[in-house]
Amino acid sequence: MTTLPLNPTDWEDLCQNLHNLLDRCVDQMRDAEDHPWQAPPDDLAKRYAIGAGGDVVARVMDQVLPHHGGNTHPKFWGWVQGSGLASDFVAGIATAAMNTNGGGRNHGINEMERAVIDWTRCKMGFGEGASGVLVAGTSQATVISLQAARVRVCPDVRASGSDVGLTVYAADGVHNATRKAVELLGLGHDQLRLVSTQNGAMDLQALQQAITADRAQGLTPLAIVGTAGSVDLGGYDDLNGLADLAAAEELWLHIDGAFGAWTRLADAPWRNLTDGIDRADSIALDFHKWMYVGYDCGLALIADEAAHRAAFAARPAYLKGTAEGLAGGDPWFCDYGIDLSRGNRALKVWCALEMFGEEAFSKAITRNCAQAAHMAEQVQSHGMEVTAPVVSNICLFTAAPDLPADQQSDLNAQIATHLQLHNATVFSTTDVNGITCLRAAITNHRTRDHHITEAIADVAKVAQLLKGSLG
């Protein structure tokens, strides 16, 4: 039998090697605590240079698996990164075998994506007329949502090009995805109004004043971007208050809910943080953050399907649909976003929910919020200082509040690096009131309370060790 040039020379040998690889991968995920982040070796780029060939499966096990980003480890709380699930193995293997393009046509992936969107729609309180599309993440979902807002206000913009004078409003400190979106859409970030906050939430009075001032200047307010889970502090805007104002001003209300929208699944009091999210025109959120599934998987959820489709639908002749056959089926998700070529992101979410059940996610998200509060208690018990209220799953603190601000900043940054290199613990840092603080964003289903207790004790020890090196 002739061997095709891009087929394995021995399928049975490949099968055995893949069994070995799967065993190794399952072991690495099951024993995640034994596999923290480690600094990549200096010659890793050379090892990865194209052309070496050889036993690729063995090379993946020896040269690829050890050099991961660390976010599978139970003491990884840096930035906001999900931890990955065993269900991702199932989805990943099936996805590779099927190699399905989710841009359109009549096959099962479309129905699965609809099922995932519909489940999320219900959780967020959107009506049956809502629409959505799975994307790489919240950054892309924000572009899609604001484009739908823009086309609603300027129906001819897809034909006539960039419009002038549209303004967007968000809290000072909103995620950079919003700035990127207004730039990519041609509005310009000068048209993004960053509104002051009170107690971590957008000041509604200041927002109203900004909208009124722009109208007086002949500008056209387009959208308000509310935040459900701010990137630095984990804070939430008053979503009902924003919805009231958006309705009165006839503005599109978009919610950046990248991770924080998922408190909708949590127990009280954290569930109440998202009250009002059902009144939004659009939500951007990520499954790969606080729903823990593997990268990448985000969603643009839009309350009005017609507005969503109007912003993107375009079918040239080579994409013409038919009543029957493979070219049939509805919807084609290329009509609802930027991509025509799309992977099977929905399968990861579907496998996760079917394998573990919705209640497991509710418990994990609730536990992460409680763990952030527990971390704050541990910080204070060691004489350190929490530097912002713990609202949801984020805890910020400084290790040596008795030092001048600049020395606190230096020490906290050194502690973060030391723990990453030596203690298998990952905090990130951010600035609060002029001080670089340690920051834990707990979106990790593997974290247990004892990991937090141990980590904060390590912070206190390392702080004492490093204090002497400060100038």
Side-chain angles (χ1 to χ4, degrees):
M1 183 175 65
T2 303
T3 300
L4 296 174
L6 290 179
N7 271 355
T9 56
D10 187 334
W11 281 100
E12 293 301 320
D13 184 60
L14 174 65
C15 185
Q16 184 58 55
N17 286 339
L18 289 177
H19 278 292
N20 295 337
L21 176 60
L22 179 59
D23 288 344
R24 174 73 173 272
C25 290
V26 170
D27 288 347
Q28 181 159 318
M29 182 176 283
R30 180 193 61 203
D31 304 325
E33 193 158 2
D34 298 331
H35 298 280
W37 174 85
Q38 55 182 317
D42 293 338
D43 67 340
L44 194 59
K46 183 178 180 181
R47 296 187 202 180
Y48 290 169
I50 302 298
D55 187 341
V56 172
V57 175
R59 289 179 63 197
V60 166
M61 289 193 286
D62 295 340
Q63 299 177 10
V64 177
L65 286 178
H67 306 300
H68 54 89
N71 50 308
T72 55
H73 192 274
K75 288 186 180 179
F76 188 102
W77 309 307
W79 303 276
V80 183
Q81 296 194 46
S83 43
L85 297 169
S87 52
D88 295 329
F89 290 133
V90 181
I93 293 170
T95 295
M98 294 167 67
N99 189 34
T100 305
N101 179 0
R105 290 161 285 270
N106 188 17
H107 49 93
I109 184 175
N110 293 338
E111 294 305 319
M112 181 164 286
E113 185 156 348
R114 287 188 2 160
V116 168
I117 293 167
D118 193 57
W119 177 83
T120 310
R121 171 189 70 77
C122 293
K123 297 303 109 179
M124 297 299 146
F126 275 24
E128 291 185 359
S131 177
V133 62
L134 291 172
V135 293
T138 287
S139 294
Q140 188 177 349
T142 304
V143 174
I144 288 172
S145 299
L146 292 183
Q147 171 67 352
R150 183 170 70 152
V151 171
R152 187 178 74 170
V153 170
C154 304
D156 297 329
V157 69
R158 292 183 65 184
S160 61
S162 182
D163 42 276
V164 178
L166 296 178
T167 52
V168 176
Y169 307 83
D172 190 14
V174 70
H175 193 279
N176 197 46
T178 296
R179 172 173 169 149
K180 286 185 177 181
V182 298
E183 291 175 348
L184 287 168
L185 291 172
L187 307 182
H189 64 248
D190 285 347
Q191 304 302 96
L192 175 60
R193 305 291 188 252
L194 298 179
V195 180
S196 60
T197 59
Q198 284 190 343
N199 300 319
M202 196 177 343
D203 184 332
L204 296 179
Q205 183 175 359
L207 172 60
Q208 179 66 76
Q209 291 171 349
I211 293 169
T212 301
D214 281 337
R215 290 198 192 280
Q217 292 295 317
L219 300 173
T220 303
L222 171 67
I224 299 169
V225 177
T227 297
S230 63
V231 65
D232 276 337
L233 308 180
Y236 287 71
D237 284 331
D238 175 0
L239 303 185
N240 273 315
L242 292 182
D244 289 342
L245 199 157
E249 293 287 341
E250 298 183 339
L251 303 183
W252 185 283
L253 176 59
H254 173 70
I255 304 299
D256 182 336
F259 69 95
W262 293 114
T263 56
R264 208 71 200 141
L265 300 184
D267 294 343
W270 300 289
R271 186 183 193 281
N272 305 114
L273 293 169
T274 45
D275 285 352
I277 200 169
D278 58 306
R279 300 174 62 191
D281 292 289
S282 58
I283 307 171
L285 48 80
D286 291 324
F287 293 96
H288 59 234
K289 289 189 172 75
W290 221 355
M291 283 292 285
Y292 313 105
V293 304
Y295 283 91
D296 55 33
C297 190
L299 173 65
L301 187 66
I302 296 179
D304 182 354
E305 188 274 342
H308 188 184
R309 196 174 191 282
F312 294 98
R315 291 280 192 93
Y318 62 85
L319 294 178
K320 186 178 180 180
T322 59
E324 297 180 304
L326 182 56
D330 188 60
W332 284 33
F333 282 100
C334 62
D335 289 335
Y336 296 88
I338 298 166
D339 300 322
L340 172 58
S341 299
R342 305 174 65 250
N344 192 353
R345 295 185 175 106
L347 186 56
K348 289 184 285 191
V349 182
W350 185 87
C351 285
L353 288 167
E354 292 299 292
M355 182 177 287
F356 303 113
E358 181 183 321
E359 182 62 23
F361 290 92
S362 175
K363 289 180 178 178
I365 293 166
T366 299
R367 182 172 62 242
N368 285 163
C369 291
Q371 287 168 335
H374 174 62
M375 182 177 286
E377 293 169 357
Q378 290 296 307
V379 165
Q380 293 167 333
S381 74
H382 285 276
M384 300 182 287
E385 184 176 288
V386 176
T387 52
V390 176
V391 177
S392 51
N393 63 325
I394 293 180
C395 180
L396 294 103
F397 62 99
T398 181
D402 55 313
L403 295 178
D406 60 337
Q407 293 188 22
Q408 287 187 58
S409 293
D410 289 345
L411 179 63
N412 291 331
Q414 289 183 43
I415 290 169
T417 301
H418 182 96
L419 292 176
Q420 292 165 16
L421 292 171
H422 303 292
N423 291 69
T425 302
V426 176
F427 293 95
S428 55
T429 61
T430 194
D431 295 340
V432 179
N433 298 324
I435 297 173
T436 299
C437 298
L438 292 161
R439 174 180 174 274
I442 308 176
T443 49
N444 192 322
H445 75 284
R446 298 185 181 95
T447 298
R448 295 296 178 264
D449 286 359
H450 73 85
H451 293 125
I452 291 170
T453 302
E454 294 163 3
I456 298 304
D458 286 341
V459 171
K461 291 176 184 177
V462 173
Q464 291 302 314
L465 177 69
L466 296 177
K467 267 187 176 181
S469 65
L470 297 175

